[in-house]
Amino acid sequence: NPTTNYGTSADMSVAGSTTADKRGLIHFDTSAITTEKISAKMNLYATTENNITIFVHDLQAALDEATVTWNNQPAHNATAINSLAVTATGWNEFDVIESDFLYGFLLKGNEAANEGNTVFNTSEAASTTLRPKLTIVYRNVAPTITAPASTTIGTPTSFSNELTPNITATLDGYTISKFRIYIYDGANL
């Protein structure tokens, strides 16, 4: 039904058809991750499969789970960021590293063919362990290190294997002010 909202449904059907397509919409809040993403995997639990290929597209506008219908669904990028042949029930992993992670994903089948449904659990599924998952591996930002404006090192009169400089570093909002530097001259530490 093109005017029905399925936002509280425990499952989402995805199918390609020349007469009755079914699409899935999904959103994960990734706003807290602002650094470089190294890998991103979306895992969806299939409760029914019909050996169809699911295409994942980035949405181009915000998704309102409570009001979205077929008739008002957000636009999506024409080019899929990835696809996966779903050939078994259980967990299916989609590589979504090419996503812009702005608004979410649209899932669809081959809409030029007549395929059966593949049904995935949603965030409303009874079992919390079988709900959609997004795993992102990202790179931490390098710390900012501030050294003293000028440092004078005189000629040492004796060997010391420990030096405690005045250096301050900031990493993820934490200030680190004590460092220990060891000098190795090839024979002594």
Side-chain angles (χ1 to χ4, degrees), residues 25-48:
L25 299 169
I26 192 164
H27 175 262
F28 298 94
D29 183 2
T30 60
S31 60
I33 302 173
T34 59
T35 60
E36 178 187 0
K37 295 162 187 72
I38 298 169
S39 73
K41 308 287 185 187
M42 177 175 62
N43 290 276
L44 301 177
Y45 192 87
T47 58
T48 305

Side-chain angles (χ1 to χ4, degrees), residues 56-121:
V56 180
H57 297 257
D58 273 327
L59 292 176
Q60 294 176 337
L63 167 65
D64 183 347
E65 183 180 0
T67 62
V68 69
T69 66
W70 179 272
N71 286 348
N72 69 7
Q73 65 183 294
H76 64 280
N77 290 347
T79 303
I81 57 173
N82 210 335
S83 63
L84 179 71
V86 178
T87 59
T89 58
W91 287 107
N92 290 270
E93 184 173 85
F94 296 83
D95 186 336
V96 293
I97 190 62
E98 298 301 321
S99 174
D100 58 21
F101 297 100
L102 294 176
Y103 303 110
F105 304 107
L106 177 133
L107 308 173
K108 66 180 185 174
N110 179 354
E111 295 181 349
N114 286 316
E115 304 175 315
N117 288 342
T118 292
V119 179
F120 296 105
N121 281 350

Side-chain angles (χ1 to χ4, degrees), residues 12-23 46-55 84-87 107-120:
M12 85 180 136
S13 294
V14 179
S17 170
T18 56
T19 59
D21 294 325
K22 294 182 179 181
R23 294 177 175 176
T47 58
T48 305
E49 63 78 26
N50 278 299
N51 195 23
I52 69 169
T53 298
I54 305 295
F55 297 89
L84 179 71
V86 178
T87 59
L107 308 173
K108 66 180 185 174
N110 179 354
E111 295 181 349
N114 286 316
E115 304 175 315
N117 288 342
T118 292
V119 179
F120 296 105

